[in-house]
């Protein structure tokens, strides 16, 4: 139902308006692309790509922002509001908040050196949030590959999508609290995660001392932290995946993801093609269309 020309007659300049705001934002925050694509992902996995993650707590709304995967972690909401304001000034009441996440993700990935793709449009915004759903449907960095795979399968995404989309960890940051369990006493063994390169382990222990500040951050891709490239996959081949769930894609014996990691490590264009396809697939998860939902005037509140 979505299509790339959805706003052609109602807001023809939508992508240049979004581009203008995100270019400005990128000058102050090199992480903004990482923040916004993650919001799009965390939106789409909970009741589809309907802007549900953007709603604040209110009467009858327990926000997804306060769910475990997002609290103290999901960011970039201020830039979404800036984009929305710019669009309301030109085409009031037309462009959904859910579409803003899809459009800005594409623009920022390509600005960081990644692929371009034709963004499908026409999503409408939810009138509710699903905090419980956010707690159960969004993959956790402490889970096994089979649990992660099941969460992707539940929304119609396969192993190739999982590996390609995990490649978004080619940029952005993570806090010590989401990976430090790998550094000291992994699975109560008294030892670090054996699938962690020892030099990299040493670096990570300096950033995240045992019992230290769980909110300290480090790069998801230690080789090219802000560039969108296929280094994420060569890192995995070198046992330099930051999250347990990153390294599992390559280090789980017999998993079908291992060959896919190798393919993407060997060919950036193969990664880019698949990433673009998988972003379109993820962006198509149960959108609200037609008369369902609404076009929110303020992404933080229902109308
Ligand atoms: C496969 C399962 C996934 C898991 C378990 C996972 C988990 C995480 C975690 C724990 C963080 C760090 C959050 C923090 O410390 O505050 C993170 C960051 C990030 N994730 Fe994922 N993620 C997954 C898939 C994805 C996908 C599919 C995308 C996008 C297509 C994505 C994009 C990002 C980005 C860009 C960041 C950095 C955000 C920033 O710098 O603020 N992730 N992820
Ligand atoms: Ca949603
Ligand atoms: Ca990179």
């Amino acid at each position: 139902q979505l299509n790339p020309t959805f706003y052609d007659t109602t807001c023809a300049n939508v992508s240049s308006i979004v581009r203008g705001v995100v270019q400005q934002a990128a000058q102050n925050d090199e992480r903004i692309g990482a923040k916004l694509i993650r919001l799009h992902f965390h939106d789409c996995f909970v009741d589809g790509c309907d802007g549900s993650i953007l709603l604040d707590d209110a009467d009858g709304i327990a926000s997804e922002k306060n769910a475990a995967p997002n609290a103290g972690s999901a960011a970039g909401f201020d830039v979404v509001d800036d984009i929305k304001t710019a669009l309301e000034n030109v085409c009031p009441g037309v462009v959904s908040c859910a579409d803003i996440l899809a459009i800005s993700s594409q623009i920022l990935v390509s600005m960081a050196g990644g692929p371009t793709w034709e963004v499908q449009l026409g999503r409408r915004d939810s009138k509710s949030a699903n905090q419980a759903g956010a707690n159960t449907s969004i993959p956790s960095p402490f889970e096994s590959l089979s649990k992660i795979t099941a969460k992707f399968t539940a929304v119609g995404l396969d192993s190739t999508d999982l590996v390609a989309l995990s490649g978004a960890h080619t940029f952005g940051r993570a806090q010590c609290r989401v990976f430090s369990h790998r550094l000291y006493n992994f699975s109560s063994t008294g030892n670090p995660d054996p699938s962690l390169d020892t030099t990299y382990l040493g670096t990570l222990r300096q950033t995240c001392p045992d019992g230290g500040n769980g909110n300290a951050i480090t790069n998801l891709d230690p080789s090219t932290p802000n560039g969108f490239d296929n280094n994420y996959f060569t890192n995995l081949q070198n046992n330099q995946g930051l999250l347990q769930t990153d390294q599992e894609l390559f280090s789980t014996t017999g998993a079908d993801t291992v060959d896919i990691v190798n393919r993407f490590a060997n060919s950036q264009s193969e990664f880019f093609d698949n990433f673009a396809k998988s972003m379109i697939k993820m962006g198509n998860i149960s959108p609200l269309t037609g008369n369902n939902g609404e076009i929110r005037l303020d992404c933080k509140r229902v109308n």
Side-chain angles (χ1 to χ4, degrees), residues 174-194:
Q175 303 176 54
C176 292
R177 63 183 171 90
V178 300
F179 62 87
S180 56
H181 66 289
R182 306 182 66 202
L183 307 183
Y184 300 99
N185 184 17
F186 182 62
S187 303
S188 308
T189 55
N191 293 309
D193 186 334

Side-chain angles (χ1 to χ4, degrees), residues 170-171 221 223-229 231-232:
T170 186
F171 66 176
D221 175 354
S223 63
T224 50
N226 300 321
F228 199 99
D229 51 25
N231 288 21
Y232 169 80

Side-chain angles (χ1 to χ4, degrees), residues 10-258:
T10 52
C11 196
N13 294 327
V14 57
S15 48
S16 55
I17 295 166
V18 176
R19 183 179 305 273
V21 179
V22 299
Q23 274 176 344
Q24 190 67 39
Q27 292 185 358
N28 308 316
D29 182 3
E30 60 190 3
R31 245 174 102 182
I32 190 60
K35 290 173 179 172
L36 292 187
I37 195 175
R38 185 161 184 249
L39 289 186
H40 185 40
F41 161 50
H42 284 197
D43 180 22
C44 294
F45 268 59
V46 183
D47 296 344
C49 312
D50 61 355
S52 58
I53 192 175
L54 301 174
L55 291 173
D56 282 345
D57 276 322
D59 256 9
I61 296 200
S63 75
E64 294 172 23
K65 294 178 183 182
N66 287 332
N70 296 325
S73 176
F77 298 104
D78 49 339
V79 174
V80 174
D81 290 339
D82 290 347
I83 297 168
K84 182 63 173 170
T85 302
L87 288 168
E88 288 300 304
N89 285 334
V90 181
C91 346
V94 170
V95 181
S96 68
C97 299
D99 278 349
I100 287 174
L101 294 180
I103 300 166
S104 55
S105 294
Q106 189 279 313
I107 292 172
L108 284 156
V109 164
S110 83
M111 275 174 58
T116 59
W117 62 92
E118 202 168 42
V119 183
Q120 300 287 317
L121 298 169
R123 302 167 189 81
R124 291 166 63 84
D125 298 319
S126 71
K127 297 181 188 178
S128 59
N130 183 356
Q131 187 176 89
N135 279 319
T136 52
S137 303
I138 296 172
S140 140
F142 310 109
E143 285 176 322
S144 65
L145 179 59
S146 65
K147 287 201 170 145
I148 298 283
T149 306
K151 287 182 176 180
F152 274 68
T153 305
V155 293
L157 299 175
D158 60 23
S159 294
T160 308
D161 298 314
L162 165 62
V163 176
L165 293 171
S166 294
H169 291 171
T170 186
F171 66 176
R173 316 283 179 263
Q175 303 176 54
C176 292
R177 63 183 171 90
V178 300
F179 62 87
S180 56
H181 66 289
R182 306 182 66 202
L183 307 183
Y184 300 99
N185 184 17
F186 182 62
S187 303
S188 308
T189 55
N191 293 309
D193 186 334
S195 68
L196 192 51
D197 171 75
T198 49
T199 309
Y200 188 42
L201 170 67
T203 313
L204 293 176
R205 281 178 165 174
Q206 287 185 346
T207 308
C208 311
D210 201 3
N213 177 8
N215 300 324
I217 56 168
T218 194
N219 300 320
L220 278 157
D221 175 354
S223 63
T224 50
N226 300 321
F228 199 99
D229 51 25
N230 68 337
N231 288 21
Y232 169 80
F233 300 102
T234 45
N235 295 340
L236 299 185
Q237 291 177 323
N238 296 325
N239 290 330
Q240 295 184 357
L242 181 63
L243 306 182
Q244 176 188 322
T245 43
D246 291 325
Q247 195 58 49
E248 280 170 353
L249 299 173
F250 182 73
S251 300
T252 304
T253 312
D256 62 352
T257 51
V258 179

